[in-house]
Amino acid sequence: MVRSTAILRQAVHALSRTPHPTLALSPAVRSALNPKTRAPVVALESTIITHGLPYPYNLEVAQELEQTVIDHGAVPATIALLDGKPLVGLDEPQLERLARCAIDPSKNTAIKASRRDIAHVLSKGHGSVGGTTVSGTMVLAHMAGVPIFATGGIGGVHRGAESTMDISADLTELGRTPVAVFCSGPKSILDIPRTLEVLETFGVSVTTFNPTGEFPAFYTSNSGLSVPYAGTDAQAAAAIFANAQLGLQSGHVFANPIPSEWNEVGQRIQQSVEQAVRESVQQGIDKKGKEVTPWLLKRLAELIPESKKSNRALVVNNAKKAAQVAVELNRIENEVQQAAGTYALGGIPQTVS
Ligand code: PSU
Ligand code: MN
C-alpha cells in the first residue's frame, strides 16, 4: 500500500510536464498539454514538407497527416521554426508557407534543421524558415512535453559511412531525448543493419508492429532483421509510460510496416536504390552533408515516380498508429491522475519505503 502510494506520487510527478516558455504553442496544442484539459497529442516534423516532397504534394500530405491524427482522436502538433520562433502546432497559412518553400528547389530558402541548426535558424529572425528533421522535431517536442511523434523514416547510418562518417543526428537524438518516434524504419537508401547497431549502442528502445517480428525497410515491410514485437497499441503505450516513469532520457523507435499493398512497388524501388546511391558517389553528393538525404530521395522519385505515393501511404499509416497509441497513453495517464486524486482525498501517507 505504502509502496504503491510512492509509485503513484512518482507517477504523478512524471506527468507534470510544463512546456518551455519560449515555444509558441497553437491553442489546440496548449489546451491538450494542460493537465486539466489533457488530450492525446502527436508531433509531426516539417523537413518532409520543406525538403522531402515537391509542392503542392507536400502541402496535401501535411494536411492529410494532421487530419489523420485528428480522425484518430489526437491533436496534431506540426513543429517548425518560423520568423525566429519555435512553433508547436501550426495554422493553415503557416503550413502553406512551409510548403511553398519547395516550389522551386533551387531557390528553397528553408533551412533543414536538426538539433545543431535550431539556434542558428532562430537567430535569423523575421523571414526565416526552418523545417525540422526527426532530430530537430524531437528536441522541440520534448521541450513542449509531447512524447509521441510520427514521421516517414528516420535518418540512419549511410551506406559507405565507414569512410564518409555520415550517420544521421537522428540516431544521437534518439539516444538522448525521451520521445517515441513512429516510423517505417530507416529509409532503404541507408545501411539498415548498421543503423540498428548504432541504435543499440545509444540505448534506444526499438520495437516493431510487424507480426513477423521483422524490422521494416521503409518502402517494404520486411528487412530480414528481427527486433522485439509490440503486439498491441496498449503495449506500446505502456512502454512509453514506463520509460517516462523511470526518467530514462532515451527515446523509442516504433517501426510500423508499410501497408502490404505497397510491397510490390517497394521491391522495385529497392532495385533503384542501388543506382541512386552509386550516382551520389559518382557525383560527389555523398560528401555534401545534409544535402545527401534530400538528393537521394529526389533521385529515387525520378527513377520510380510511385515512390512519392508509397511515401505518403506509409507516413499517413504512421500518423494513424501514433494517434492510436497517444490515445492509449492518455488513458493510462488519466487513470494515474484519477488514482492519485482518490489517494489525495484520503491523504497520501508520508512514509515512502
Ligand atoms: N523521410 C522522408 N523524407 C525526409 C526525411 C525522412 O521520407 O525528408 C528527413 C527527416 O526529417 C529525417 C532527415 O530526420 O530526412 C534525415 O536527414 P539526415 O540523413 O541528413 O540526417
Ligand atoms: Mn548526414
Side-chain angles (χ1 to χ4, degrees), residues 45 47 52 112 133-134 153 155 158 168 170 187 218 293 297 311:
E45 64 151 300
T47 291
K112 176 180 159 190
T133 64
V134 168
H158 278 262
S168 176
D170 294 354
K187 272 151 289 168
F218 197 71
T293 298
L297 289 176
N311 216 329

Side-chain angles (χ1 to χ4, degrees), residues 2-161:
V2 173
R3 202 172 118 68
S4 69
T5 307
I7 292 174
L8 257 187
R9 200 182 285 127
Q10 163 57 30
V12 171
H13 175 72
L15 285 182
S16 55
R17 304 181 285 248
T18 311
H20 191 285
T22 305
L23 302 174
L25 307 183
S26 69
V29 171
R30 181 170 296 284
S31 159
L33 294 176
N34 180 337
K36 295 196 181 81
T37 48
R38 194 202 319 276
V41 184
V42 173
L44 298 164
E45 64 151 300
S46 47
T47 291
I48 190 168
I49 309 174
T50 55
H51 293 79
L53 294 167
Y55 181 84
Y57 197 69
N58 56 352
L59 182 58
E60 276 172 44
V61 173
Q63 289 165 334
E64 187 178 355
L65 289 176
E66 295 212 343
Q67 195 55 48
T68 303
V69 169
I70 294 168
D71 291 346
H72 291 86
V75 174
T78 303
I79 292 181
L81 309 171
L82 279 180
D83 297 322
K85 283 196 223 87
L87 307 187
V88 181
L90 304 181
D91 60 22
E92 202 48 47
Q94 290 167 333
L95 214 53
E96 184 149 355
R97 183 163 161 212
L98 287 175
R100 294 180 73 85
C101 291
I103 290 179
D104 178 352
S106 67
K107 295 195 188 119
N108 191 346
T109 52
I111 298 174
K112 176 180 159 190
S114 67
R115 172 187 278 266
R116 66 151 190 199
D117 307 290
I118 293 175
H120 167 70
V121 178
L122 293 179
S123 76
K124 291 169 78 85
H126 190 74
S128 62
V129 178
T132 49
T133 64
V134 168
S135 145
T137 307
M138 286 180 75
V139 171
L140 298 169
H142 181 54
M143 284 170 67
V146 178
I148 292 187
F149 161 29
T151 185
I154 54 169
V157 179
H158 278 262
R159 297 177 186 210

Side-chain angles (χ1 to χ4, degrees), residues 158-166 191 194:
H158 278 262
R159 297 177 186 210
E162 60 274 30
S163 63
T164 63
M165 301 273 290
D166 191 352
D191 185 326
R194 282 176 171 155

Side-chain angles (χ1 to χ4, degrees), residues 176-227:
R176 69 189 205 186
T177 303
V179 168
V181 181
F182 287 70
C183 63
S184 297
K187 272 151 289 168
S188 44
I189 52 172
L190 302 168
D191 185 326
I192 300 181
R194 282 176 171 155
T195 299
L196 282 177
E197 287 298 336
V198 172
L199 287 170
E200 180 183 350
T201 304
F202 291 167
V204 180
S205 159
V206 178
T207 315
T208 182
F209 287 110
N210 206 342
T212 62
E214 273 174 84
F215 193 59
F218 197 71
Y219 293 114
T220 59
S221 51
N222 299 316
S223 66
L225 301 156
S226 320
V227 295

